[in-house]
Amino acid sequence: MAASIARARRNKVFRSVFQTEVAQPTPILASTDAGEAFGVLPPRNASSPRRSSRQASNDTVTDQVKWDRAWHVVTTRIQLPSSVTAEDSFGSLMPQSQDDDTLFYEALPLILEPAGHVPHAAHTEDVIEWHARQARQHFLHHVLPLLAGCAEQADAKQVVRTTLQTLEAAHRQYLYGLLLIVRGIQKEPVAEKAVASFRTDLSAIIGNSWTPKLVNALRIVIANQLVDILGHGEQYKANKPRTAVQERRVKMAREELLSLLDSMQNVGLTGDRFQVLFAELMDSCMCSFIQLSYAGVLGVQQDDNMDSDAIPYGCLAHLCDWIENQYSRLAVEVFSRLGGTVAWADVEKWREIAVGRLATLRIQELFDIVLQWPHSKGALNDLKSAVTTPQRRLDLTDTFSAALQRRLLHPGRSTLYILQTYISMIRAFHLLDHSKVLLNRVVHALQLYLCQRDDAVRIVVNGLLCDKKLASPEALKSQLSEMATILDESLEQKLLREEEGHDWSDMTWEPDPVDAGANYKRPKNEDVIGTIISALGSEDVFIKEFQATVATRLLSKHPDFNQELKVLHLLKKRFGEQAVQNCDVMFKDIYDSKRIGYTLRKAVHDASPNPSPIAYKYKILSRLFWPNLTKDTFKVPEPIAELQEQYAKGFEQLKSTRKLNWLNQLGSVTVQLDLEDRSVEVECKTYEATVIYEFQNADEESGAPAQRNFNDIWQTLMLDEDLLEEALAFWVSKRVLRDIGDQNYEVIERLGVNDQEDAGDGPGNDAGDDGDDDARMADGGSVSPKKAALDPAEQERRNVYWQFIVGMLTNSAPAMPLGQILMMMKMLIADGCSWSNEELAEFLGEKIAEGDLELVGGKYKLVKK
């Protein structure tokens, strides 16, 4: 019902534009005698004047009858059948020599030239216009219903094929009658003009056959052919030619498309509507080709034989070649079929559009390009060649800033990962834009976010001081080792020197970008380290962190400090020597300590009749230049105290204006314990060695193992209670002491079965343990002895923290380092988190002992159960 209503409306519109009332052929009427006038005769009896009038009337009637009879003969011959498929009613047009229809060819001149053959005929018509009107009516009543039936088929190819066949049949029928008429026209220009006019009218008629279903079918058929011809559908791979099978498929698809265009051109379907459709398909094909071929292809490199200064490389070069040799070639072939031409300016315009779309794709992928640096240099070079206008540069920075906020600047990302991404950003944007204008637009949010991370400065400092030769692969992954790599590069060392003025021999010089600020000053290099340091805020914060870290490393047993000196040299260039003066003094103290220590050891050895067998080394620190070092006073063993006194006296003689104050808690000791069934050699802290020294004065007569009480040791050594607890726990973990209750500890002279099982339950019992308390706590192995029972409020808080940690490791990231866990707890828990790193490490260590967590590569992760 709806279809019939729509068809009726459409016919009404068609009739309002085109005249559909077609005159029918004149019928043959009976006559009395041969030669009598056809029609109404005048009266027979009349006067002489009236005879002249009667003669004129007879001439008119006679000419009109002749024209009417000729009109009947011609129109009957060219009258269209009732069906568009009834081609047998016409057949093919015979040569004029074989066409023996004498009556038709005798009547045709009267119809074409009535003024010369029947001048007195009162009513004549243009037979060509009459044929055009009957073609319109025939198309409306017979062809359009057939086309509607063709469009109902399911297969798009079948719809197009049957539609073209129907229109070709109608086209042949309409042209058949026209060609019969044109045979009677003597003047060739007139005949050509008549044919051209009729074809134009016929094209307008057939142009009405465009239906939505036909448009959809043509869209599907031509789109599939374009896919095969233009060869897209898979990712681009450099230097991969087409196979023979692909070439045959392209050739076949091209022939099918051109054949289809010829058929459509013959029936008049290649007008404006088709050209708009084809332009849309070509535009869509370009978009899909760029997306399917180049999306994710970031590392296409330049051919060694290419001239990098003249030819863009990577995907951009392939795209330009595709536009010129495939896309434009197809457009030329199509438009030549349609009677149009393609100029070189059109090709350049298409290439400009394609480059812009590739730039849009690369802008959307820029964050992934940065993450994959340096393997994405090909994509960056594409982007550099394509992003040449201020508008595209603005789109690039806006899109990247949004991706930065969404994918990086949130609590789920560790500070180490953010800094690593920042380094890749500096490198990638420097290749993209040496002026750093683009980088400065997107980096402010990242720098502000880094300033909010408490561990950012520490990670950068540790990264600069990382020794890649001595560190393990796992340790390098947990540090910002990229900073040390950059520092070690000789080229980077040259680039760090800022040069004033212009380098007139620089053949790669480029003018300032048009979107640079008024006070813009061109930087001479990427300066990754300087950019990272500048992003961390005040230089005092960075210098203080560097000083504290270097102090710890200088007090360790590192064989050399070459890396520390490199970083110090860098900071002098950036901040000036006055800013890092304390660090200079610290290094000087370490090197002076070696010289002074050698002199004092020799003097003490020569002055003592019984030299101590203890190998005692120390480092002399200038109190005013080193960071604040806490001094925990406690009583050291007597042999150590005597040595310290001797060294102090010797130092006062050597440096009369200075005096030594011993920082015993910062030292380390190698202890060898001889027990009944074994010997234990351990490197430990000074206070740990002092505590175990108290157990050697046992009552040898009783033969019982030495025992000491916690309070007795504390009163004797005057050691801080927390340090005493840690020291006792350390020796318990080493299977040297055992807790026998009531804060009493006993030496384990012989290991029993129970002692071995107890020792095997906790971590930190490996024979190669170096006794480093920080490392032990990071591994979750520190166990505090005799902790008091937790109150309900504390227990509830620990439960809340644990549930938060479980949710974080389940939903945010499967594994996290200690610092990131604590940072997220402080930021996301409503009441905050008051724990320190040590307290959190102890808590996580308990969860490891309970089997809920595991520590892999310095990161905590939930145990799969």
Side-chain angles (χ1 to χ4, degrees):
M1 188 65 180
S4 62
I5 294 175
R7 190 179 302 110
R9 290 178 178 174
R10 183 167 150 193
N11 293 339
K12 184 177 180 181
V13 173
F14 185 83
R15 285 192 296 271
S16 68
V17 177
F18 301 104
Q19 180 181 355
T20 58
E21 297 296 333
V22 181
Q24 299 298 322
T26 304
I28 300 177
L29 300 178
S31 177
T32 55
D33 296 324
E36 289 186 358
F38 182 79
V40 179
L41 297 176
R44 294 181 177 271
N45 298 324
S47 60
S48 297
R50 293 181 177 270
R51 297 181 69 86
S52 167
S53 175
R54 181 184 302 172
Q55 182 63 37
S57 176
N58 290 338
D59 293 340
T60 301
V61 171
T62 302
D63 288 350
Q64 184 66 46
V65 169
K66 289 181 181 180
W67 189 91
D68 289 342
R69 288 182 177 276
W71 179 264
H72 174 79
V73 172
V74 173
T75 54
T76 301
R77 177 68 183 275
I78 64 174
Q79 186 178 11
L80 294 173
S82 60
S83 174
V84 73
T85 58
E87 299 181 29
D88 294 339
S89 60
F90 293 111
S92 59
L93 185 64
M94 294 183 296
Q96 189 171 4
S97 60
Q98 299 179 9
D99 192 351
D100 56 355
D101 193 350
T102 307
L103 188 60
F104 172 78
Y105 285 106
E106 290 177 352
L108 187 59
L110 274 70
I111 301 301
L112 294 176
E113 299 180 4
H117 295 84
V118 285
H120 300 289
H123 172 71
T124 60
E125 288 188 42
D126 188 344
V127 68
I128 297 179
E129 292 184 1
W130 179 88
H131 182 56
R133 289 196 300 271
Q134 78 155 346
R136 295 192 193 101
Q137 187 178 19
H138 184 272
F139 189 86
L140 174 65
H141 293 290
H142 300 289
V143 178
L144 285 181
L146 291 177
L147 295 179
C150 295
E152 295 298 331
Q153 301 178 81
D155 184 47
K157 288 185 177 180
Q158 188 69 17
V159 171
V160 174
R161 182 169 60 252
T162 54
T163 299
L164 289 178
Q165 289 175 353
T166 302
L167 291 175
E168 286 173 352
H171 200 269
R172 286 194 298 268
Q173 290 179 357
Y174 300 156
L175 288 180
Y176 181 82
L178 177 66
L179 295 178
L180 287 177
I181 297 172
V182 169
R183 283 183 176 179
I185 300 177
Q186 301 298 326
K187 297 180 180 179
E188 186 175 350
V190 176
E192 293 178 354
K193 181 179 180 181
V195 172
S197 177
F198 182 83
R199 285 185 177 274
T200 302
D201 199 7
L202 185 59
S203 298
I205 296 173
I206 296 180
N208 189 55
S209 63
W210 283 94
T211 62
K213 293 184 178 180
L214 176 60
V215 172
N216 293 335
L218 276 173
R219 187 183 300 275
I220 294 173
V221 172
I222 297 177
N224 292 334
Q225 292 171 344
L226 291 180
V227 168
D228 292 335
I229 296 173
L230 298 178
H232 68 279
E234 60 181 13
Q235 280 194 339
Y236 163 64
K237 295 180 180 178
N239 303 323
K240 182 182 178 182
R242 287 178 175 175
T243 62
V245 176
Q246 291 175 332
E247 290 291 347
R248 288 194 298 270
R249 186 172 61 196
V250 170
K251 182 179 180 181
M252 185 180 302
R254 189 184 300 275
E255 293 174 352
E256 290 179 357
L257 176 61
L258 297 180
S259 175
L260 175 63
L261 290 177
D262 290 338
S263 299
M264 296 181 66
Q265 176 75 3
N266 292 334
V267 300
L269 281 180
T270 55
D272 293 340
R273 297 187 64 176
F274 172 77
Q275 294 179 21
V276 171
L277 173 63
F278 186 77
E280 292 176 352
L281 290 174
M282 289 290 284
D283 181 75
S284 176
C285 187
M286 180 190 293
C287 294
S288 60
F289 176 83
I290 294 173
Q291 183 67 33
L292 295 175
S293 300
Y294 305 132
V297 182
L298 308 180
V300 180
Q301 297 297 328
Q302 182 183 10
D303 191 347
D304 294 336
N305 297 325
M306 285 186 178
D307 182 6
S308 59
D309 295 332
I311 303 177
Y313 64 95
C315 296
L316 185 60
H318 180 264
L319 177 60
C320 294
D321 178 76
W322 180 79
I323 289 292
E324 294 179 7
N325 298 324
Q326 297 187 45
Y327 190 87
S328 300
R329 173 191 171 187
L330 179 62
V332 168
E333 293 176 342
V334 171
F335 279 102
S336 63
R337 294 293 199 281
L338 305 181
T341 58
V342 176
W344 180 249
D346 298 325
V347 178
E348 293 180 341
K349 187 64 175 179
W350 293 334
R351 182 171 57 197
E352 180 181 350
I353 294 173
V355 170
R357 289 174 177 172
L358 178 62
T360 302
L361 174 64
R362 290 292 182 245
I363 288 173
Q364 295 172 352
E365 296 178 331
L366 183 55
F367 192 83
D368 295 317
I369 293 173
V370 168
L371 294 181
Q372 296 186 29
W373 171 271
H375 304 293
S376 57
K377 288 185 177 179
L380 277 172
N381 282 286
D382 290 340
L383 197 56
K384 180 179 180 181
S385 301
V387 180
T388 55
T389 63
Q391 183 59 44
R392 287 182 184 173
R393 291 165 65 89
L394 181 61
D395 293 341
L396 183 148
T397 54
D398 291 345
T399 303
F400 186 81
S401 297
L404 201 65
Q405 291 284 352
R406 184 178 68 256
R407 300 179 59 180
L408 187 68
L409 305 183
H410 56 81
R413 293 297 184 185
S414 66
T415 307
L416 176 61
Y417 183 82
I418 295 175
L419 287 168
Q420 289 172 337
T421 306
Y422 190 13
I423 292 175
S424 299
M425 280 177 55
I426 297 172
R427 291 287 187 87
F429 273 82
H430 183 264
L431 177 61
L432 188 62
D433 175 29
H434 291 281
S435 67
K436 286 189 179 180
V437 172
L438 298 180
L439 180 63
N440 291 336
R441 288 181 183 175
V442 301
V443 81
H444 294 296
L446 176 59
Q447 293 176 344
L448 180 62
Y449 191 77
L450 279 176
C451 293
Q452 300 172 3
R453 292 289 185 101
D454 297 335
D455 57 343
V457 178
R458 176 176 53 83
I459 292 176
V460 172
V461 171
N462 290 334
L464 286 171
L465 298 176
C466 176
D467 193 341
K468 301 185 68 174
K469 296 180 181 179
L470 300 178
S472 62
E474 293 185 357
L476 291 177
K477 292 181 180 179
S478 62
Q479 297 183 12
L480 196 63
S481 57
E482 293 86 351
M483 300 290 285
T485 302
I486 297 172
L487 186 62
D488 290 338
E489 294 175 355
S490 58
L491 178 60
E492 183 70 9
Q493 292 289 342
K494 295 179 182 179
L495 292 176
L496 288 175
R497 300 186 180 94
E498 294 287 343
E499 299 178 359
E500 298 296 335
H502 297 283
D503 183 3
W504 301 105
S505 61
D506 184 9
M507 302 304 295
T508 62
W509 178 87
E510 297 178 358
D512 293 345
V514 294
D515 50 352
N519 298 325
Y520 166 74
K521 180 180 179 181
R522 174 179 296 277
K524 301 299 187 296
N525 56 75
E526 55 184 303
D527 191 9
V528 177
I529 296 178
T531 305
I532 294 290
I533 294 176
S534 301
L536 298 177
S538 173
E539 65 179 53
D540 294 337
V541 176
F542 185 85
I543 292 175
K544 287 181 180 179
E545 182 66 31
F546 174 76
Q547 184 178 357
T549 304
V550 167
T552 304
R553 296 170 72 92
L554 292 178
L555 295 178
S556 64
K557 294 184 177 181
H558 278 248
D560 58 65
F561 304 101
N562 295 332
Q563 191 70 16
E564 289 79 359
L565 290 173
K566 289 181 182 179
V567 180
L568 180 61
H569 181 70
L570 169 68
L571 297 183
K572 286 181 180 180
K573 287 183 173 293
R574 175 160 293 276
F575 302 122
E577 295 188 3
Q578 185 66 28
V580 292
Q581 180 182 7
N582 289 2
C583 297
D584 274 335
V585 175
M586 290 162 59
F587 278 98
K588 185 176 183 299
D589 287 344
I590 296 301
Y591 290 115
D592 289 345
S593 295
K594 294 181 180 180
R595 176 176 52 82
I596 296 174
Y598 174 78
T599 302
L600 289 181
R601 281 195 299 272
K602 184 178 180 183
V604 170
H605 184 275
D606 295 341
S608 176
N610 297 316
S612 173
I614 300 175
Y616 193 78
K617 297 181 180 180
Y618 55 88
K619 296 178 180 179
I620 303 174
L621 315 179
S622 299
R623 178 175 58 86
L624 298 178
F625 295 92
W626 285 72
N628 293 329
L629 301 173
T630 58
K631 182 178 180 181
D632 295 326
T633 59
F634 57 90
K635 183 179 179 181
V636 298
E638 190 64 28
I640 302 299
E642 293 177 357
L643 281 176
Q644 288 181 348
E645 184 178 357
Q646 294 175 12
Y647 279 109
K649 291 180 180 179
F651 181 78
E652 291 176 2
Q653 294 176 0
L654 188 63
K655 303 284 186 178
S656 58
T657 60
R658 301 175 66 182
K659 182 180 179 181
L660 289 179
N661 290 319
W662 297 95
L663 301 175
N664 294 318
Q665 79 280 4
L666 299 180
S668 61
V669 182
T670 302
V671 177
Q672 181 175 347
L673 304 176
D674 294 327
L675 303 173
E676 291 183 4
D677 62 344
R678 67 198 184 283
S679 294
V680 178
E681 184 173 343
V682 179
E683 184 175 351
C684 59
K685 301 290 185 180
T686 308
Y687 60 88
E688 293 171 342
T690 302
V691 170
I692 198 61
Y693 187 82
E694 285 299 305
F695 285 85
Q696 76 168 351
N697 298 324
D699 188 359
E700 299 180 357
E701 295 182 358
S702 63
Q707 294 184 9
R708 292 291 184 271
N709 183 268
F710 181 90
N711 292 327
D712 295 339
I713 300 175
W714 174 75
Q715 292 178 0
T716 303
L717 300 181
M718 299 304 296
L719 180 64
D720 183 80
E721 291 185 2
D722 293 336
L723 294 180
L724 180 56
E725 286 184 356
E726 292 181 9
L728 291 172
F730 171 75
W731 292 115
V732 169
S733 67
K734 294 298 180 182
R735 295 177 293 175
V736 174
L737 298 179
R738 99 165 38 95
D739 186 356
I740 59 178
D742 295 332
Q743 292 188 325
N744 293 318
Y745 293 87
E746 179 184 71
V747 176
I748 304 175
E749 293 288 350
R750 291 181 176 273
L751 287 176
V753 176
N754 294 335
D755 295 322
Q756 294 177 357
E757 291 178 354
D758 293 342
D761 291 339
N765 295 318
D766 185 53
D769 194 333
D770 60 357
D772 183 26
D773 186 67
D774 291 339
R776 211 165 52 247
M777 295 186 70
D779 290 337
S782 178
V783 181
S784 299
K786 291 295 182 181
K787 281 190 176 292
L790 297 175
D791 62 294
E794 177 66 19
Q795 184 63 41
E796 178 65 23
R797 184 173 63 172
R798 291 165 68 91
N799 292 336
V800 172
Y801 287 175
W802 172 241
Q803 293 300 325
F804 178 81
I805 293 171
V806 171
M808 187 167 50
L809 294 179
T810 302
N811 302 320
S812 180
M816 288 187 181
L818 179 67
Q820 183 180 356
I821 294 176
L822 183 60
M823 180 269 298
M824 295 189 68
M825 291 175 67
K826 289 183 177 180
M827 293 179 62
L828 301 180
I829 294 179
D831 298 333
C833 178
S834 59
W835 283 357
S836 63
N837 283 333
E838 291 76 13
E839 291 173 327
L840 179 60
E842 181 180 356
F843 176 71
L844 297 179
E846 294 176 3
K847 293 301 180 181
I848 291 177
E850 295 173 4
D852 296 325
L853 284 179
E854 60 181 349
L855 186 64
V856 179
K859 295 183 178 182
Y860 292 92
K861 60 188 300 186
L862 295 174
V863 176
K864 295 182 180 180
K865 298 182 179 180

